[in-house]
Coordinates of all heavy atoms in Angstrom, one line a residue:
K212 N 3.8 16.0 -3.6 CA 4.4 14.9 -3.0 C 3.9 14.8 -1.5 O 3.5 13.8 -1.0 CB 5.9 14.9 -3.0 CG 6.5 13.8 -2.3 CD 8.0 13.8 -2.4 CE 8.7 12.7 -1.7 NZ 10.1 12.6 -1.8
E213 N 3.8 16.0 -0.9 CA 3.4 16.0 0.5 C 2.0 15.5 0.7 O 1.7 14.7 1.6 CB 3.5 17.5 1.0 CG 3.3 17.6 2.5 CD 3.6 19.0 3.0 OE1 4.6 19.6 2.7 OE2 2.7 19.5 3.7
K214 N 1.1 16.0 -0.2 CA -0.3 15.5 -0.1 C -0.4 14.0 -0.3 O -1.1 13.3 0.4 CB -1.2 16.2 -1.2 CG -1.5 17.6 -0.9 CD -2.4 18.2 -2.0 CE -2.6 19.6 -1.9 NZ -3.5 20.1 -2.9
D215 N 0.4 13.5 -1.3 CA 0.4 12.1 -1.6 C 0.8 11.3 -0.4 O 0.2 10.3 -0.1 CB 1.3 11.8 -2.8 CG 0.9 12.3 -4.1 OD1 -0.3 12.7 -4.2 OD2 1.7 12.4 -5.0
L216 N 1.9 11.7 0.2 CA 2.4 10.9 1.3 C 1.5 10.9 2.5 O 1.4 9.9 3.3 CB 3.8 11.4 1.7 CG 4.9 11.2 0.6 CD1 6.2 11.8 1.1 CD2 5.0 9.7 0.3
I217 N 0.8 12.0 2.7 CA -0.2 12.1 3.8 C -1.3 11.0 3.5 O -1.7 10.3 4.4 CB -0.8 13.5 3.9 CG1 0.2 14.4 4.5 CG2 -2.1 13.5 4.8 CD1 -0.1 15.9 4.4
L218 N -1.8 11.0 2.3 CA -2.9 10.1 2.0 C -2.4 8.6 2.0 O -3.1 7.7 2.4 CB -3.5 10.4 0.6 CG -4.2 11.8 0.6 CD1 -4.6 12.1 -0.8 CD2 -5.4 11.7 1.5
I219 N -1.2 8.4 1.5 CA -0.6 7.1 1.5 C -0.5 6.5 2.9 O -0.8 5.4 3.2 CB 0.8 7.0 0.8 CG1 0.6 7.2 -0.7 CG2 1.5 5.7 1.1 CD1 1.8 7.6 -1.5
K220 N -0.1 7.4 3.8 CA 0.0 7.0 5.2 C -1.4 6.5 5.8 O -1.4 5.5 6.5 CB 0.5 8.2 6.1 CG 0.6 7.9 7.5 CD 1.2 9.1 8.2 CE 1.3 8.9 9.7 NZ 1.7 10.1 10.4
E221 N -2.4 7.1 5.4 CA -3.8 6.7 5.9 C -4.2 5.4 5.2 O -4.8 4.6 5.8 CB -4.8 7.8 5.6 CG -4.6 9.1 6.4 CD -4.4 8.9 7.9 OE1 -5.0 8.0 8.5 OE2 -3.6 9.6 8.5
I222 N -3.8 5.2 4.0 CA -4.1 3.9 3.3 C -3.4 2.8 4.0 O -3.9 1.8 4.3 CB -3.7 4.0 1.8 CG1 -4.6 5.0 1.0 CG2 -3.9 2.6 1.2 CD1 -4.1 5.3 -0.4
L223 N -2.1 3.1 4.3 CA -1.3 2.0 4.9 C -1.8 1.7 6.3 O -1.6 0.5 6.8 CB 0.2 2.5 5.0 CG 0.9 2.6 3.6 CD1 2.3 3.2 3.8 CD2 1.0 1.2 3.0
K224 N -2.4 2.7 7.0 CA -2.9 2.4 8.3 C -4.3 1.8 8.2 O -4.9 1.5 9.2 CB -3.0 3.7 9.1 CG -1.7 4.3 9.5 CD -1.8 5.4 10.5 CE -2.6 6.6 10.1 NZ -2.5 7.7 11.0
L225 N -4.8 1.7 7.0 CA -6.2 1.2 6.7 C -7.2 2.0 7.4 O -8.2 1.5 7.9 CB -6.3 -0.3 7.1 CG -5.3 -1.3 6.4 CD1 -5.5 -2.7 6.9 CD2 -5.4 -1.2 4.9
N226 N -7.0 3.3 7.4 CA -7.9 4.2 8.1 C -8.8 5.0 7.1 O -8.4 6.0 6.6 CB -7.1 5.2 8.9 CG -8.0 6.0 9.9 OD1 -9.1 6.3 9.6 ND2 -7.4 6.4 11.0
L227 N -9.9 4.4 6.7 CA -10.7 4.9 5.7 C -11.3 6.3 6.1 O -11.3 7.2 5.2 CB -11.9 4.0 5.4 CG -12.9 4.4 4.3 CD1 -12.2 4.6 3.0 CD2 -14.0 3.4 4.2
E228 N -11.7 6.5 7.3 CA -12.3 7.8 7.7 C -11.3 8.9 7.5 O -11.6 9.9 7.0 CB -12.7 7.7 9.2 CG -13.4 8.9 9.6 CD -13.9 8.8 11.1 OE1 -14.3 7.7 11.5 OE2 -14.0 9.8 11.8
N229 N -10.0 8.7 8.0 CA -9.0 9.7 7.9 C -8.6 9.9 6.4 O -8.3 11.0 6.0 CB -7.8 9.4 8.7 CG -8.0 9.9 10.2 OD1 -9.0 10.5 10.5 ND2 -7.1 9.5 11.0
F230 N -8.6 8.8 5.6 CA -8.2 8.9 4.2 C -9.2 9.9 3.5 O -8.8 10.8 2.8 CB -8.2 7.5 3.6 CG -8.0 7.6 2.1 CD1 -6.8 7.9 1.5 CD2 -9.1 7.1 1.3 CE1 -6.7 8.0 0.1 CE2 -8.9 7.1 -0.1 CZ -7.7 7.5 -0.7
E231 N -10.5 9.6 3.7 CA -11.5 10.5 3.1 C -11.5 11.9 3.6 O -11.6 12.8 2.8 CB -12.9 9.9 3.4 CG -13.1 8.5 2.7 CD -14.4 7.8 3.2 OE1 -14.9 8.1 4.3 OE2 -14.8 6.9 2.4
K232 N -11.3 12.1 4.9 CA -11.2 13.4 5.5 C -10.1 14.2 5.0 O -10.2 15.3 4.6 CB -11.1 13.2 7.1 CG -11.1 14.5 7.8 CD -11.0 14.2 9.3 CE -10.6 15.4 10.1 NZ -10.3 15.2 11.5
K233 N -8.9 13.6 5.0 CA -7.7 14.3 4.5 C -7.7 14.6 3.0 O -7.2 15.6 2.6 CB -6.4 13.5 4.9 CG -6.2 13.5 6.4 CD -4.9 12.8 6.8 CE -4.8 12.7 8.3 NZ -4.5 14.0 8.9
K234 N -8.4 13.7 2.2 CA -8.5 14.0 0.8 C -9.3 15.3 0.6 O -8.9 16.1 -0.2 CB -9.2 12.9 0.1 CG -9.4 13.1 -1.4 CD -10.4 12.1 -2.0 CE -10.6 12.4 -3.4 NZ -11.4 13.7 -3.7
L235 N -10.4 15.4 1.4 CA -11.2 16.7 1.3 C -10.4 17.9 1.8 O -10.4 18.9 1.2 CB -12.5 16.5 2.1 CG -13.5 15.5 1.5 CD1 -14.7 15.3 2.4 CD2 -14.0 16.0 0.1
E236 N -9.8 17.7 3.0 CA -9.1 18.8 3.6 C -7.9 19.3 2.7 O -7.7 20.5 2.6 CB -8.4 18.4 4.9 CG -9.4 18.2 6.1 CD -8.7 17.7 7.3 OE1 -7.5 17.4 7.3 OE2 -9.5 17.5 8.3
L237 N -7.3 18.4 2.0 CA -6.1 18.8 1.2 C -6.6 19.2 -0.2 O -5.7 19.6 -1.1 CB -5.1 17.6 1.1 CG -4.5 17.2 2.4 CD1 -3.8 15.8 2.2 CD2 -3.5 18.3 2.9
N238 N -7.9 19.0 -0.5 CA -8.4 19.2 -1.9 C -7.5 18.4 -2.9 O -7.1 18.9 -3.9 CB -8.4 20.7 -2.2 CG -9.2 20.9 -3.5 OD1 -10.1 20.2 -3.8 ND2 -8.8 22.0 -4.2
A239 N -7.3 17.1 -2.5 CA -6.4 16.3 -3.3 C -7.1 15.6 -4.4 O -8.3 15.1 -4.2 CB -5.7 15.3 -2.4
S240 N -6.5 15.4 -5.5 CA -7.0 14.6 -6.6 C -6.4 13.2 -6.5 O -5.2 13.0 -6.4 CB -6.5 15.2 -8.0 OG -6.9 14.3 -9.0
V241 N -7.3 12.2 -6.4 CA -6.9 10.8 -6.2 C -7.5 9.9 -7.3 O -8.7 9.8 -7.4 CB -7.4 10.3 -4.8 CG1 -7.0 8.8 -4.6 CG2 -6.8 11.1 -3.7
C242 N -6.6 9.4 -8.1 CA -7.1 8.4 -9.1 C -7.5 7.1 -8.5 O -6.7 6.6 -7.7 CB -6.0 8.3 -10.2 SG -6.5 7.2 -11.6
G243 N -8.6 6.6 -8.8 CA -9.0 5.3 -8.2 C -9.5 5.5 -6.7 O -9.4 4.5 -5.9
F244 N -10.2 6.6 -6.4 CA -10.6 6.8 -5.1 C -11.6 5.8 -4.5 O -11.3 5.2 -3.5 CB -11.3 8.2 -5.0 CG -11.7 8.6 -3.6 CD1 -10.8 8.8 -2.6 CD2 -13.0 8.8 -3.3 CE1 -11.2 9.2 -1.3 CE2 -13.5 9.1 -2.0 CZ -12.5 9.3 -1.0
T245 N -12.6 5.4 -5.3 CA -13.5 4.4 -4.9 C -12.9 3.0 -4.7 O -13.1 2.4 -3.7 CB -14.8 4.4 -5.8 OG1 -15.4 5.7 -5.8 CG2 -15.8 3.3 -5.3
P246 N -12.1 2.6 -5.7 CA -11.4 1.3 -5.5 C -10.5 1.3 -4.2 O -10.4 0.3 -3.6 CB -10.6 1.1 -6.8 CG -11.4 1.9 -7.8 CD -11.9 3.1 -7.1
I247 N -9.9 2.4 -3.9 CA -9.0 2.5 -2.7 C -9.9 2.4 -1.5 O -9.5 1.7 -0.5 CB -8.2 3.8 -2.7 CG1 -7.2 3.8 -3.8 CG2 -7.5 4.0 -1.4 CD1 -6.5 5.1 -4.1
Q248 N -11.1 3.0 -1.5 CA -12.0 2.8 -0.3 C -12.4 1.4 -0.1 O -12.4 0.9 1.0 CB -13.2 3.7 -0.6 CG -13.0 5.2 -0.6 CD -14.3 5.9 -1.0 OE1 -14.8 5.7 -2.1 NE2 -14.8 6.7 -0.1
I249 N -12.7 0.7 -1.2 CA -13.1 -0.7 -1.1 C -11.9 -1.5 -0.7 O -12.0 -2.4 0.2 CB -13.6 -1.2 -2.5 CG1 -14.9 -0.5 -2.9 CG2 -13.7 -2.7 -2.5 CD1 -15.3 -0.6 -4.3
L250 N -10.7 -1.3 -1.2 CA -9.5 -2.0 -0.8 C -9.2 -1.8 0.7 O -8.9 -2.8 1.4 CB -8.3 -1.5 -1.5 CG -6.9 -2.0 -1.1 CD1 -6.8 -3.5 -1.5 CD2 -5.8 -1.2 -1.8
I251 N -9.3 -0.6 1.2 CA -9.1 -0.4 2.7 C -10.1 -1.2 3.5 O -9.7 -1.9 4.5 CB -9.2 1.1 3.0 CG1 -8.1 1.9 2.4 CG2 -9.3 1.3 4.5 CD1 -8.2 3.4 2.5
E252 N -11.4 -1.2 3.1 CA -12.4 -2.0 3.9 C -12.1 -3.5 3.8 O -12.2 -4.2 4.8 CB -13.8 -1.6 3.4 CG -14.2 -0.3 3.9 CD -14.3 -0.1 5.4 OE1 -14.9 -1.0 6.1 OE2 -13.6 0.8 5.9
Y253 N -11.8 -3.9 2.6 CA -11.5 -5.4 2.4 C -10.3 -5.8 3.3 O -10.3 -6.8 4.0 CB -11.2 -5.7 1.0 CG -10.8 -7.1 0.7 CD1 -11.8 -8.1 0.6 CD2 -9.5 -7.5 0.6 CE1 -11.5 -9.4 0.4 CE2 -9.2 -8.8 0.4 CZ -10.2 -9.8 0.3 OH -9.9 -11.1 0.1
C254 N -9.2 -5.0 3.3 CA -8.0 -5.3 4.0 C -8.3 -5.3 5.5 O -7.7 -6.1 6.3 CB -6.9 -4.4 3.7 SG -6.2 -4.6 2.0
K255 N -9.1 -4.4 6.0 CA -9.5 -4.4 7.4 C -10.3 -5.6 7.7 O -10.0 -6.2 8.8 CB -10.3 -3.1 7.7 CG -9.5 -1.9 7.9 CD -10.2 -0.6 8.3 CE -11.6 -0.6 8.4 NZ -12.2 0.8 8.6
L256 N -11.2 -6.0 6.9 CA -12.0 -7.2 7.1 C -11.1 -8.4 7.2 O -11.3 -9.3 8.1 CB -13.0 -7.3 6.0 CG -14.0 -8.5 6.0 CD1 -15.0 -8.4 7.2 CD2 -14.7 -8.6 4.7
K257 N -10.1 -8.5 6.3 CA -9.3 -9.7 6.3 C -8.1 -9.6 7.2 O -7.2 -10.4 7.2 CB -8.8 -9.9 4.8 CG -9.8 -10.3 3.9 CD -10.4 -11.7 4.2 CE -11.3 -12.2 3.2 NZ -11.8 -13.5 3.5
K258 N -8.0 -8.5 8.0 CA -6.9 -8.2 8.9 C -5.5 -8.3 8.2 O -4.6 -9.0 8.7 CB -7.0 -9.2 10.1 CG -8.2 -9.0 10.9 CD -8.3 -9.9 12.1 CE -9.4 -9.8 13.0 NZ -10.6 -9.2 12.7
M259 N -5.4 -7.6 7.1 CA -4.2 -7.6 6.3 C -3.2 -6.5 6.8 O -3.6 -5.6 7.4 CB -4.6 -7.4 4.8 CG -5.5 -8.5 4.3 SD -5.9 -8.2 2.6 CE -4.7 -9.2 1.8
K260 N -2.0 -6.7 6.5 CA -1.0 -5.7 6.7 C -0.6 -5.1 5.4 O -0.7 -5.7 4.3 CB 0.2 -6.2 7.5 CG 1.0 -7.3 6.9 CD 2.2 -7.7 7.8 CE 3.1 -8.6 7.1 NZ 4.2 -9.0 7.9
S261 N 0.0 -3.9 5.5 CA 0.3 -3.2 4.3 C 1.7 -2.6 4.3 O 2.3 -2.5 5.4 CB -0.7 -2.0 4.1 OG -0.6 -1.1 5.2
N262 N 2.3 -2.3 3.2 CA 3.6 -1.7 3.1 C 3.7 -0.9 1.8 O 3.1 -1.2 0.8 CB 4.7 -2.7 3.3 CG 4.8 -3.6 2.1 OD1 3.9 -4.3 1.7 ND2 6.0 -3.6 1.4
L263 N 4.5 0.2 1.9 CA 4.8 1.0 0.7 C 6.0 0.3 0.0 O 7.0 0.1 0.6 CB 5.2 2.4 1.2 CG 5.6 3.3 0.1 CD1 4.5 3.6 -1.0 CD2 6.0 4.7 0.7
I264 N 5.8 0.0 -1.2 CA 6.8 -0.7 -2.0 C 7.7 0.4 -2.7 O 8.9 0.4 -2.6 CB 6.2 -1.6 -3.1 CG1 5.5 -2.7 -2.3 CG2 7.3 -2.1 -4.0 CD1 4.6 -3.6 -3.3
E265 N 7.0 1.4 -3.3 CA 7.8 2.5 -3.9 C 6.8 3.7 -4.2 O 5.6 3.5 -4.4 CB 8.4 2.1 -5.2 CG 9.3 3.2 -5.8 CD 10.1 2.7 -7.0 OE1 10.1 1.5 -7.4 OE2 10.7 3.6 -7.6
Y266 N 7.4 4.9 -4.0 CA 6.7 6.1 -4.4 C 7.6 6.9 -5.4 O 8.8 7.0 -5.1 CB 6.4 7.0 -3.2 CG 5.8 8.3 -3.6 CD1 4.4 8.4 -3.9 CD2 6.6 9.4 -3.8 CE1 3.9 9.6 -4.3 CE2 6.0 10.6 -4.2 CZ 4.7 10.7 -4.5 OH 4.1 11.9 -4.9
T267 N 7.0 7.3 -6.4 CA 7.7 8.1 -7.4 C 6.7 9.1 -8.0 O 5.5 9.1 -7.7 CB 8.4 7.3 -8.4 OG1 9.3 8.1 -9.2 CG2 7.5 6.6 -9.4
S268 N 7.2 9.9 -9.0 CA 6.4 10.8 -9.7 C 6.8 10.9 -11.1 O 7.8 10.5 -11.5 CB 6.4 12.2 -9.0 OG 7.6 12.8 -9.3
S269 N 5.9 11.5 -11.9 CA 6.1 11.7 -13.3 C 7.3 12.6 -13.6 O 8.0 12.5 -14.6 CB 4.9 12.3 -14.0 OG 4.5 13.5 -13.4
A270 N 7.7 13.5 -12.6 CA 8.8 14.3 -12.8 C 10.1 13.5 -12.8 O 11.1 14.0 -13.5 CB 8.9 15.3 -11.6
R271 N 10.1 12.4 -12.2 CA 11.3 11.6 -12.2 C 11.7 11.1 -13.7 O 12.8 11.1 -14.1 CB 11.2 10.4 -11.3 CG 12.4 9.5 -11.2 CD 12.1 8.4 -10.2 NE 13.3 7.5 -10.1 CZ 13.2 6.4 -9.4 NH1 12.1 6.0 -8.8 NH2 14.3 5.6 -9.4
A272 N 10.6 10.8 -14.4 CA 10.9 10.4 -15.8 C 11.0 11.5 -16.8 O 11.8 11.5 -17.7 CB 9.7 9.4 -16.2
S273 N 10.1 12.5 -16.6 CA 10.0 13.6 -17.6 C 11.0 14.8 -17.3 O 11.2 15.6 -18.1 CB 8.6 14.2 -17.6 OG 8.3 14.9 -16.4
H274 N 11.5 14.8 -16.0 CA 12.3 16.0 -15.6 C 11.6 17.3 -15.6 O 12.2 18.3 -15.7 CB 13.6 16.0 -16.3 CG 14.4 14.7 -16.3 ND1 14.9 14.2 -15.2 CD2 14.6 13.8 -17.3 CE1 15.5 13.0 -15.4 NE2 15.3 12.8 -16.7
D275 N 10.2 17.2 -15.7 CA 9.4 18.4 -15.7 C 8.6 18.5 -14.3 O 7.8 17.7 -14.1 CB 8.4 18.4 -16.8 CG 7.5 19.5 -16.9 OD1 7.6 20.5 -16.1 OD2 6.5 19.5 -17.7
S276 N 9.0 19.4 -13.5 CA 8.3 19.5 -12.2 C 7.2 20.5 -12.1 O 6.7 20.8 -11.1 CB 9.4 19.8 -11.1 OG 10.0 21.1 -11.4
T277 N 6.8 21.0 -13.3 CA 5.7 22.0 -13.3 C 4.3 21.3 -13.3 O 3.4 21.9 -12.8 CB 5.8 22.9 -14.5 OG1 5.7 22.1 -15.7 CG2 7.1 23.7 -14.5
N278 N 4.2 20.1 -13.8 CA 2.9 19.4 -13.8 C 3.2 17.9 -13.4 O 3.5 17.1 -14.3 CB 2.3 19.5 -15.2 CG 0.8 19.1 -15.2 OD1 0.2 19.0 -14.1 ND2 0.3 19.0 -16.3
V279 N 3.0 17.6 -12.2 CA 3.5 16.3 -11.7 C 2.4 15.4 -11.2 O 1.4 15.9 -10.6 CB 4.5 16.5 -10.5 CG1 5.0 15.2 -9.9 CG2 5.7 17.4 -10.9
V280 N 2.5 14.2 -11.5 CA 1.5 13.1 -11.0 C 2.3 12.2 -10.2 O 3.4 11.7 -10.6 CB 0.9 12.4 -12.2 CG1 0.0 11.3 -11.7 CG2 0.1 13.3 -13.1
G281 N 1.8 11.8 -9.0 CA 2.5 10.9 -8.1 C 2.0 9.5 -8.3 O 0.8 9.3 -8.7
Y282 N 2.9 8.5 -8.1 CA 2.5 7.1 -8.3 C 3.0 6.3 -7.0 O 4.2 6.5 -6.6 CB 3.2 6.5 -9.5 CG 2.8 7.1 -10.8 CD1 3.5 8.2 -11.3 CD2 1.6 6.7 -11.4 CE1 3.1 8.8 -12.5 CE2 1.2 7.4 -12.6 CZ 2.0 8.4 -13.2 OH 1.6 9.0 -14.3
A283 N 2.2 5.5 -6.5 CA 2.6 4.7 -5.3 C 2.3 3.2 -5.6 O 1.2 2.9 -6.1 CB 1.8 5.1 -4.1
A284 N 3.2 2.4 -5.2 CA 3.0 0.9 -5.3 C 2.9 0.5 -3.8 O 3.8 0.7 -3.0 CB 4.1 0.2 -6.0
L285 N 1.7 -0.1 -3.5 CA 1.5 -0.5 -2.1 C 1.3 -2.0 -2.1 O 0.7 -2.6 -3.1 CB 0.3 0.2 -1.5 CG 0.2 1.7 -1.6 CD1 -1.1 2.2 -1.0 CD2 1.4 2.3 -0.8
G286 N 1.7 -2.7 -1.1 CA 1.5 -4.2 -1.0 C 0.6 -4.5 0.2 O 0.7 -3.8 1.2
F287 N -0.2 -5.5 0.0 CA -1.1 -5.9 1.1 C -1.1 -7.4 1.2 O -1.1 -8.1 0.2 CB -2.6 -5.5 0.8 CG -2.7 -4.0 0.7 CD1 -2.5 -3.4 -0.5 CD2 -3.0 -3.2 1.8 CE1 -2.6 -2.0 -0.7 CE2 -3.1 -1.8 1.7 CZ -2.9 -1.2 0.5
K288 N -1.0 -7.9 2.4 CA -1.0 -9.4 2.6 C -1.6 -9.8 3.9 O -1.5 -9.0 4.8 CB 0.4 -10.0 2.4 CG 1.4 -9.7 3.4 CD 2.7 -10.4 3.2 CE 3.7 -10.1 4.3 NZ 5.0 -10.8 4.1
E289 N -2.1 -11.0 4.0 CA -2.6 -11.4 5.2 C -1.5 -11.6 6.3 O -0.4 -12.0 6.0 CB -3.4 -12.8 5.0 CG -4.6 -12.6 4.2 CD -5.4 -13.9 4.1 OE1 -5.3 -14.7 4.9 OE2 -6.2 -14.0 3.1
K290 N -1.9 -11.2 7.5 CA -1.0 -11.4 8.6 C -0.8 -12.9 8.9 O -1.8 -13.6 8.8 CB -1.5 -10.7 9.8 CG -1.5 -9.2 9.7 CD -2.0 -8.5 11.0 CE -2.1 -7.0 10.8 NZ -2.7 -6.3 11.9
S291 N 0.4 -13.3 9.1 CA 0.6 -14.7 9.4 C 0.0 -15.0 10.8 O 0.0 -14.2 11.7 CB 2.1 -15.0 9.4 OG 2.8 -14.3 10.4
S292 N -0.4 -16.3 10.9 CA -1.1 -16.7 12.2 C 0.0 -17.1 13.2 O -0.4 -17.7 14.3 CB -2.1 -17.8 11.9 OG -1.4 -18.9 11.3
K293 N 1.2 -17.0 12.9 CA 2.3 -17.4 13.8 C 2.5 -16.5 15.0 O 2.3 -15.3 14.9 CB 3.6 -17.6 13.1 CG 3.5 -18.7 12.1 CD 4.9 -18.8 11.3 CE 4.8 -19.8 10.2 NZ 6.0 -20.0 9.5

């Protein structure tokens, strides 16, 4: 969970360089790594804002904490011009 939240924080900040750096430093496994890189760059280009909708893990459903996969739902939308 700790690794996941560190990486999620960098995604939410749209900080591709730190996202990539921390993934390597933490030796983290990230499903969809390349699409996430593309998403971060696209959101920066479009000046979008982000938010964490929900974070959970497979342990919540299976009640097995020995082999856990984390899941995050993130939202991205264009900043209003107001």
Side-chain angles (χ1 to χ4, degrees):
K212 179 177 179 175
E213 189 175 311
K214 289 181 184 182
D215 292 346
L216 295 178
I217 290 169
L218 294 172
I219 289 167
K220 181 178 176 183
E221 296 307 326
I222 296 169
L223 293 172
K224 292 191 302 187
L225 303 178
N226 190 328
L227 180 59
E228 184 177 329
N229 277 353
F230 174 67
E231 294 170 336
K232 180 181 166 187
K233 290 184 185 288
K234 179 193 177 294
L235 291 173
E236 287 174 358
L237 297 168
N238 193 28
S240 174
V241 176
C242 184
F244 182 67
T245 300
I247 292 170
Q248 292 172 300
I249 294 167
L250 174 70
I251 291 171
E252 285 300 304
Y253 178 81
C254 290
K255 283 184 354 189
L256 180 69
K257 293 293 187 176
K258 298 181 177 17
M259 299 177 93
K260 65 179 185 175
S261 60
N262 68 301
L263 176 62
I264 298 168
E265 185 171 355
Y266 174 83
T267 191
S268 73
S269 57
R271 184 174 176 191
S273 70
H274 307 291
D275 176 7
S276 60
T277 59
N278 195 11
V279 178
V280 176
Y282 299 94
L285 308 176
F287 300 89
K288 67 178 183 176
E289 291 186 24
K290 293 180 182 176
S291 62
S292 57
K293 295 178 183 179

